[in-house]
Amino acid sequence: MKTILPFLLVVVLGCFSCNKAIETKNTKTEQSEIASISDEQKLAMAAEGKQVGIATITTIDSTFIGTDTFRGKLLVIDFWATWCSPCIKEAPMFKQIAKKYKDENVTFISISIDSDFSNWKEYVTENNWEGNNYWYGRFNKDSFAYLIYSKFNVKDEEVVGISLPKYVIISPEGKILSNADLRPSKPGFETEIKKYL
């Protein structure tokens, strides 16, 4: 069952990745170049040590902000979706750790890749979702989106696909420090954060 779940996630995400247009700050040429890169190149662009791409995310009150707004502090990102049960399970622990480090030089944010802004907003509002919550969507074609990709094995074959929940740590200067398989429910998550404070 564990090997089938990532495969199903890739299949489900692939089924919903219709030709829906999302406005981004990239030019059409940049979007075309990004869309044509291979899975291996996507992983390389989101590798530890690389400069993170800049994207536009949306607040619950529909304000657009650039992800570079968070520069100057360590940034811990929780990529999630309302339909992802492991994301929902890990979220309270992520938020608890965020509260624990509120006085440190670190910002914790949750970024949803739900395809529909209204559904995400309704979920966050109805469930009194605490913390710094933003919507990014799933149809973006900028290099920031590659942070949610991972490589995993399905039936002894390596597959690259979207992996949720996904936790990423970014330096105050915008370098990717950790893009590994971290989980707030595991002791290594907090250890990894402390390493950069």
Side-chain angles (χ1 to χ4, degrees), residues 107-168:
T107 300
F108 291 78
I109 64 174
S110 295
I111 299 178
S112 167
I113 68 158
D114 279 280
S115 57
D116 185 87
F117 175 82
S118 300
N119 289 344
W120 165 77
K121 182 177 178 176
E122 182 179 330
Y123 182 91
V124 169
T125 304
E126 286 181 1
N127 291 285
N128 298 315
W129 212 250
E130 294 180 357
N132 300 311
N133 298 292
Y134 302 93
W135 180 81
Y136 179 59
R138 194 170 60 232
F139 302 105
N140 290 296
K141 292 183 171 46
D142 53 49
S143 61
F144 186 79
Y146 302 145
L147 290 172
I148 60 177
Y149 282 80
S150 293
K151 186 184 288 189
F152 42 88
N153 286 315
V154 176
K155 296 185 179 180
D156 297 324
E157 184 179 331
E158 281 193 338
V159 176
V160 174
I162 293 173
S163 176
L164 294 177
K166 183 73 180 276
Y167 302 92
V168 181

Side-chain angles (χ1 to χ4, degrees), residues 18-192:
C18 313
N19 294 326
K20 188 173 181 180
I22 295 290
E23 188 177 328
T24 67
K25 290 170 46 174
N26 296 332
T27 66
K28 287 185 179 189
T29 304
E30 288 171 329
Q31 288 177 358
S32 175
E33 288 171 0
I34 289 171
S36 66
I37 70 170
S38 71
D39 287 342
E40 292 300 323
Q41 289 170 313
K42 290 175 187 176
L43 291 175
M45 290 175 75
E48 294 172 2
K50 297 287 186 177
Q51 189 73 22
V52 71
I54 298 171
T56 300
I57 54 179
T58 310
T59 65
I60 199 158
D61 64 355
S62 301
T63 303
F64 299 104
I65 63 168
T67 53
D68 56 340
T69 303
F70 301 102
R71 297 270 166 89
K73 284 188 169 188
L74 188 69
L75 178 63
V76 182
I77 304 172
D78 163 23
F79 286 102
W80 72 289
T82 59
W83 44 262
C84 168
S85 59
C87 299
I88 305 304
K89 183 179 177 185
E90 293 283 340
M93 290 165 273
F94 180 80
K95 294 175 184 314
Q96 184 179 9
I97 292 169
K99 284 181 183 177
K100 182 177 179 179
Y101 289 92
K102 67 180 172 50
D103 296 325
E104 300 288 337
N105 192 36
V106 59
T107 300
F108 291 78
I109 64 174
S110 295
I111 299 178
S112 167
I113 68 158
D114 279 280
S115 57
D116 185 87
F117 175 82
S118 300
N119 289 344
W120 165 77
K121 182 177 178 176
E122 182 179 330
Y123 182 91
V124 169
T125 304
E126 286 181 1
N127 291 285
N128 298 315
W129 212 250
E130 294 180 357
N132 300 311
N133 298 292
Y134 302 93
W135 180 81
Y136 179 59
R138 194 170 60 232
F139 302 105
N140 290 296
K141 292 183 171 46
D142 53 49
S143 61
F144 186 79
Y146 302 145
L147 290 172
I148 60 177
Y149 282 80
S150 293
K151 186 184 288 189
F152 42 88
N153 286 315
V154 176
K155 296 185 179 180
D156 297 324
E157 184 179 331
E158 281 193 338
V159 176
V160 174
I162 293 173
S163 176
L164 294 177
K166 183 73 180 276
Y167 302 92
V168 181
I169 301 174
I170 310 292
S171 78
E173 300 76 35
K175 296 272 187 202
I176 301 167
L177 299 173
S178 177
N179 192 5
D181 187 25
L182 299 171
R183 293 282 187 274
S185 60
K186 306 289 184 208
F189 183 78
E190 205 169 339
T191 302
E192 190 73 10

Side-chain angles (χ1 to χ4, degrees), residues 10-24:
V10 171
V11 170
V12 168
L13 291 172
C15 292
F16 288 102
S17 63
C18 313
N19 294 326
K20 188 173 181 180
I22 295 290
E23 188 177 328
T24 67

